[in-house]
Amino acid sequence: MWPSMLWLLLLWPVSTRTESICGSQELRQVSDFEKLRNCSIIVGHVHIANFQLPANVNLNDLRSEVTEITDYLMIYRTTGLLTLESIFPKLRLIRGQKLLFDRYSLIVYENRNLRELGLVELLRIQKGYIRIESNPMLCFVETVDWIYLLGNRTVQHFSIKLNKSPNHCPVCGGLAADYSYRVNKTINCWNMQRTQVRVVPPKTEGCPVNCGRNGCDAKGYCCSNNCVTGCSNQNCTLCANFLRNGRCVDQCIASYELNRRQCISFKECRQRKLIPLTQGYRCVDRCPNNHKPVVDNNGAMQCQLECKGLFHVKRAADLEQLQDCVTINGSLIIELEDIKEKIVSALEQALDNVKEITGYLKIQQSAPLMSLTFLKNLDTIRGDELIENKYVLWVVNNHHLEHIWPANRQVALQRGTVFFHLNPRLCHDKIMKLQSSLRSGHQISIADVSPNSNGERVICGDLVQILDPVVEDINSTAVRIVLDYMITDNIETLIGYSYHYMEAPQRNITMYDGRHGCGHDNWLMDVSISKSRRHVISNLKPYTQYAYFVKTLTRTDYHMQIDAYSKIQYFRTLPSKSSPVSRLFGTSDFSTQIMVHWWPPRLPNGNITRYIVNYELHNITEPEAKNYAENKTLNAKDIDCYCNIQEPYYSGPQPEDENFYNKDQMIYEDALPDLIYVSRRKLLAKKEKFGMVKDFDDLIAGRPIERIVNRTTTTSTTTTSTSTTTTTTTTTTTTTTPKPPATQSSLAVNGFKPTTTEDPAIQYEKFRLYVEEKMRMVQDTNINDFVILHDPPKCQNAHASVANQLEQKCAVEEELSGISLSGSQLFYNLTELQPNQYYRISVRACVDGVINGCSNPATILVKTISIESTDLMNYSES
């Protein structure tokens, strides 16, 4: 029977109280709690940090009426505070709409005297992680069913460690002050007096399996997780996300968001004497920073987006005033000071909508910038205001800038001209392409754009060649990439290649999107200091799509300037065996049932198509039982350990101090390769030559060429003879007798001996083929060093012995047993169990398309409650 009394008690406070809305609260001393006392809903966060509670304070001075916090709650480094129940006795919901560090919604960290959490009315933490650590006196943390509190048990995690050992803490229903034993019906509690509050669903027996512990109504429909205080989304008084017209919804559609918890119409927003804001569809009491209040013809207040003035962006915080701007009525200066800040993504987000700048654009001394593609929708810079009454686009002293506008986009410069200097990686020819964008008719002069101060550190123009990499082989963690042969004229200056790659869920990556000049981005880099055209990138994530491109590393001087890039290409690694499920939890609310929950593997390594659940009765002796908690993880080592995934260094240097960026030291990029790879010894007579030679004898002095002769003659053996001379040659060279090193006479037999009567064109063709073959051999050396291992195939014989498996290089597929569940189901209710018994429960995650792709089992011991405990629970609910 539905426990109507408990239901009414849960609904009554919500339906009768008057809501008092407050903003974020920063509480550091007792007087600050006065601001919190009359608040029922906090639209924002609550910080209680560096707070010292005096011994003589009245705890009623700390008490608040807060029932909801829309963002997060942080308790950090408090002294003298014993429990949070004295501050938040009515807190029921933490929404987590904005998280601390984009991750946490509840943080209790380094509180010296905190004895218990005491959030006795808490029903839900809708989003975000939970972190409760380093509280040396904190008890009653392990007794809270955190899984029940999570809004999304698949995504949300919690970390509880370095608190007081549960072995040194009281238990739920422990001894009272008079040493009498408190009878407690559950193992979940906040302290010895208060059990954890649970909303009991209308029905739990006979519900569909996918309902889990949510239960169902009388018609068998599963209760919704969106309603915190009940079962149905209709007529719910406390919604986990948003409330609209008495119904719980996930988001506000065709309506305005109020206080991050409710959806109302335009008319309702006006009736509350608030302002409907079209940007973001919010209902606010005052205009945001970059909006100005205006009164329309009907006398109603509106917020008009105002992006007017001179905007100087030095750090990410300066971009807030440009949020949602379409037209900047003024000028924009970007001068990024902090090279460690990951600001490129913030620029892309804040300036995404900008289409017009009425003044000028100035980019200077911004080392993190590699391009201006973050202005991807910019169409016009009008130049109503100019720098020095002349320049509409000013780009000076940007060490890593390589590119200007996005591909296939032209920005009209209505007035003035451009000024580009001290951009050593920006090619002069890219700047000159802006000439067609100048609507004023000005011609770009050398004084404004000098070829000597732009692009002097990179290869530009037609000297930039195109590489064509191909994925030659791939497995779950590595890929072998092969390039075309480098031509003879370029091989002498080649030092090696750099391979840039990043995870790319979608195939929409460009070479400059999100790139940070100092390496603070998601691109990784492998460097191959070798002329080999093959390279293996390892330590990749299984079943992950990557984007990559390749560029050459060359020595340059004024006589030889060669560089080459590839286009962005993609590959996906193969799936592999999954890691164990992250966490495994089991609780028994009935004497014959155990509800099991688990988190997905941290490293799924593929598409998880199913979970395998096994359980068995586990008989343990009485002494052993004392060593087990009610929910004991057996193989915690497999579950809790993190694999150290080695990642290559980022695509730029990683600074360790503020003085890292020093332009005077950047010359190492040119000087270091020459210092290491250019020999300072006198050139020997016999050396590898790739250029001009005196004669053919001088050419072959470089190295023995019998390998070339053998390779050439062997090839000719398999081809049809076109002349009697070549036929005789092949017959001679196919003998099995070991050949001596090639000499002048052996070359003559093979047609390689130059004579004074031989046509110079034929001699040159022989020379060209020899050098070309030599270059190919240099680029194909040590091919065996680039082998990628693969998993053995499935054996045809399902019962093959180990010796047969080794001989046939195959693997026998494992025979699985147990309860098979869908890969999207992360819980299971075990039924028909014996009361008051321990059960060993294991869960395995299985990857599709992989032989023996099921993970190692994660195992726990869970004890069912006794029949007497079940009867006591049913009696208390009736």
Side-chain angles (χ1 to χ4, degrees), residues 449-623:
V449 178
S450 172
N452 298 322
S453 66
N454 295 289
E456 72 273 15
R457 300 179 68 86
V458 293
I459 310 302
C460 298
D462 296 335
L463 297 175
V464 179
Q465 301 177 6
I466 301 297
L467 295 176
D468 187 18
V470 176
V471 173
E472 192 175 38
D473 195 8
I474 193 169
N475 64 12
S476 60
T477 60
V479 61
R480 183 170 73 238
I481 298 174
V482 62
L483 303 168
D484 284 341
Y485 288 102
M486 184 70 70
I487 62 175
T488 305
D489 294 339
N490 301 340
I491 195 68
E492 184 176 357
T493 63
L494 180 68
I495 296 174
Y497 300 92
S498 62
Y499 296 79
H500 303 255
Y501 60 100
M502 68 178 296
E503 293 183 32
Q506 304 295 329
R507 296 198 170 197
N508 56 356
I509 306 298
T510 68
M511 194 172 294
Y512 295 102
D513 285 352
R515 295 288 302 279
H516 191 290
C518 301
H520 298 281
D521 53 35
N522 294 325
W523 285 92
L524 304 173
M525 180 173 69
D526 255 10
V527 176
S528 174
I529 306 300
S530 168
K531 291 182 172 62
S532 175
R533 65 192 187 103
R534 288 177 174 82
H535 182 70
V536 173
I537 302 176
S538 57
N539 299 312
L540 302 175
K541 295 181 181 180
Y543 201 65
T544 303
Q545 181 170 271
Y546 287 86
Y548 77 100
F549 69 92
V550 186
K551 69 180 295 292
T552 55
L553 302 174
T554 58
R555 292 184 292 108
T556 61
D557 55 36
Y558 290 105
H559 303 287
M560 281 191 174
Q561 295 189 356
I562 305 298
D563 206 354
Y565 289 81
S566 74
K567 296 180 180 180
I568 296 286
Q569 299 192 41
Y570 300 86
F571 64 84
R572 178 181 288 276
T573 52
L574 302 180
S576 180
K577 180 179 178 179
S578 170
S579 66
V581 296
S582 301
R583 291 287 180 90
L584 188 58
F585 305 92
T587 56
S588 177
D589 293 334
F590 301 94
S591 60
T592 60
Q593 297 182 16
I594 293 178
M595 175 61 73
V596 184
H597 282 90
W598 57 89
W599 292 344
R602 292 192 181 97
L603 303 175
N605 298 338
N607 183 21
I608 304 293
T609 56
R610 58 175 174 161
Y611 290 97
I612 305 296
V613 179
N614 285 280
Y615 68 97
E616 62 180 357
L617 185 65
H618 185 72
N619 295 321
I620 59 177
T621 62
E622 189 66 24

Side-chain angles (χ1 to χ4, degrees), residues 154 209-210 598 610-611 820-829:
T154 303
V209 176
N210 59 342
W598 57 89
R610 58 175 174 161
Y611 290 97
S820 180
L821 305 175
S822 169
S824 60
Q825 184 173 336
L826 302 175
F827 60 88
Y828 187 74
N829 191 29

Side-chain angles (χ1 to χ4, degrees), residues 253-461:
I253 300 177
S255 57
Y256 290 81
E257 180 184 312
L258 177 63
N259 297 326
R260 303 184 196 170
R261 59 186 298 271
Q262 189 174 356
C263 303
I264 61 175
S265 64
F266 181 91
K267 182 179 180 180
E268 290 174 318
C269 184
R270 287 298 189 191
Q271 289 175 348
R272 294 171 182 256
K273 298 182 179 179
L274 298 175
I275 306 172
L277 193 65
T278 55
Q279 281 79 15
Y281 288 94
R282 294 170 290 161
C283 191
V284 297
D285 56 351
R286 60 180 181 272
C287 295
N289 293 334
N290 57 345
H291 292 68
K292 67 176 182 179
V294 294
V295 179
D296 60 15
N297 297 332
N298 299 323
M301 183 70 70
Q302 290 185 349
C303 296
Q304 181 177 337
L305 183 65
E306 184 183 41
C307 302
K308 186 176 182 180
L310 176 63
F311 298 92
H312 198 163
V313 177
K314 295 185 177 181
R315 55 188 62 86
D318 299 332
L319 293 170
E320 182 179 357
Q321 56 189 335
L322 291 168
Q323 197 73 38
D324 300 324
C325 288
V326 177
T327 299
I328 297 179
N329 295 301
S331 300
L332 175 61
I333 300 176
I334 298 179
E335 186 178 8
L336 305 180
E337 296 178 339
D338 188 359
I339 63 171
K340 295 182 179 181
E341 187 176 24
K342 295 183 178 180
I343 195 173
V344 179
S345 58
L347 287 168
E348 292 175 346
Q349 181 179 2
L351 303 178
D352 179 63
N353 297 322
V354 175
K355 293 185 177 181
E356 184 181 33
I357 300 176
T358 62
Y360 58 81
L361 174 62
K362 187 175 187 180
I363 313 291
Q364 65 181 13
Q365 298 178 5
S366 297
L369 295 184
M370 295 187 68
S371 72
L372 306 184
T373 55
F374 53 84
L375 295 166
K376 58 183 177 182
N377 289 313
L378 182 63
D379 293 325
T380 305
I381 306 178
R382 279 174 27 191
D384 294 348
E385 179 184 4
L386 300 174
I387 301 174
E388 298 178 1
N389 294 322
K390 183 178 181 181
Y391 303 109
V392 66
L393 178 59
W394 175 288
V395 182
V396 173
N397 197 15
N398 302 284
H399 185 80
H400 296 102
L401 191 66
E402 297 181 3
H403 196 65
I404 306 178
W405 308 127
N408 302 321
R409 190 167 194 86
Q410 191 174 43
V411 178
L413 308 176
Q414 299 290 2
R415 296 183 62 241
T417 185
V418 298
F419 189 82
F420 281 75
H421 281 286
L422 303 179
N423 305 293
R425 298 177 183 275
L426 182 59
C427 291
H428 181 262
D429 60 323
K430 291 184 178 180
I431 305 173
M432 295 306 295
K433 291 179 181 179
L434 297 176
Q435 180 67 65
S436 59
S437 301
L438 297 178
R439 300 294 185 261
S440 60
H442 284 87
Q443 293 297 317
I444 300 177
S445 65
I446 295 180
D448 296 334
V449 178
S450 172
N452 298 322
S453 66
N454 295 289
E456 72 273 15
R457 300 179 68 86
V458 293
I459 310 302
C460 298

Side-chain angles (χ1 to χ4, degrees), residues 663-856:
K663 291 184 298 181
D664 296 334
Q665 297 178 2
M666 290 297 179
I667 58 173
Y668 84 95
E669 294 182 3
D670 290 340
L672 188 60
D674 290 343
L675 178 65
I676 296 176
Y677 299 110
V678 178
S679 176
R680 295 296 185 269
R681 296 178 300 172
K682 292 184 178 181
L683 298 178
L684 300 178
K686 292 186 177 182
K687 63 179 182 178
E688 289 197 350
K689 297 181 181 181
F690 304 96
M692 185 179 297
V693 294
K694 298 178 182 178
D695 52 29
F696 193 76
D697 292 333
D698 183 41
L699 170 67
I700 64 175
R703 105 187 199 279
I705 61 173
E706 71 266 24
R707 292 174 61 187
I708 304 300
V709 177
N710 292 339
R711 186 169 180 176
T712 303
T713 56
T714 302
T715 303
S716 61
T717 304
T718 59
T719 58
T720 303
S721 175
T722 57
S723 66
T724 304
T725 303
T726 56
T727 303
T728 304
T729 302
T730 57
T731 304
T732 304
T733 57
T734 53
T735 60
T736 59
T737 305
K739 291 187 60 178
T743 61
Q744 187 78 354
S745 59
S746 62
L747 288 174
V749 173
N750 292 280
F752 263 73
K753 180 179 179 181
T755 62
T756 56
T757 60
E758 190 173 21
D759 189 352
I762 297 177
Q763 292 191 37
Y764 176 77
E765 182 64 16
K766 293 179 181 179
F767 162 69
R768 187 189 65 79
L769 293 175
Y770 167 75
V771 173
E772 181 177 316
E773 182 67 16
K774 187 175 182 179
M775 297 305 100
R776 289 175 178 265
M777 294 181 64
V778 168
Q779 298 176 66
D780 279 333
T781 56
N782 302 323
I783 295 180
N784 293 332
D785 294 341
F786 304 99
V787 175
I788 291 180
L789 300 179
H790 290 271
D791 294 332
K794 178 181 175 181
C795 292
Q796 297 296 329
N797 183 6
H799 304 286
S801 64
V802 175
N804 289 336
Q805 295 180 47
L806 293 175
E807 181 181 355
Q808 299 176 14
K809 296 181 180 180
C810 63
V812 174
E813 188 171 16
E814 178 185 5
E815 295 182 2
L816 299 175
S817 62
I819 303 170
S820 180
L821 305 175
S822 169
S824 60
Q825 184 173 336
L826 302 175
F827 60 88
Y828 187 74
N829 191 29
L830 301 176
T831 59
E832 299 181 359
L833 307 178
Q834 299 180 22
N836 202 28
Q837 294 292 328
Y838 280 96
Y839 282 85
R840 181 190 296 268
I841 306 170
S842 65
V843 178
R844 303 179 68 182
C846 298
V847 177
D848 184 32
V850 178
I851 299 176
N852 298 330
C854 292
S855 67
N856 296 330

Side-chain angles (χ1 to χ4, degrees), residues 114-132:
L114 192 64
R115 300 300 201 266
E116 62 186 49
L117 293 176
L119 301 175
V120 294
E121 295 292 332
L122 188 62
L123 293 173
R124 181 73 60 82
I125 299 176
Q126 184 62 18
K127 297 178 182 177
Y129 286 19
I130 300 169
R131 186 168 185 174
I132 304 174

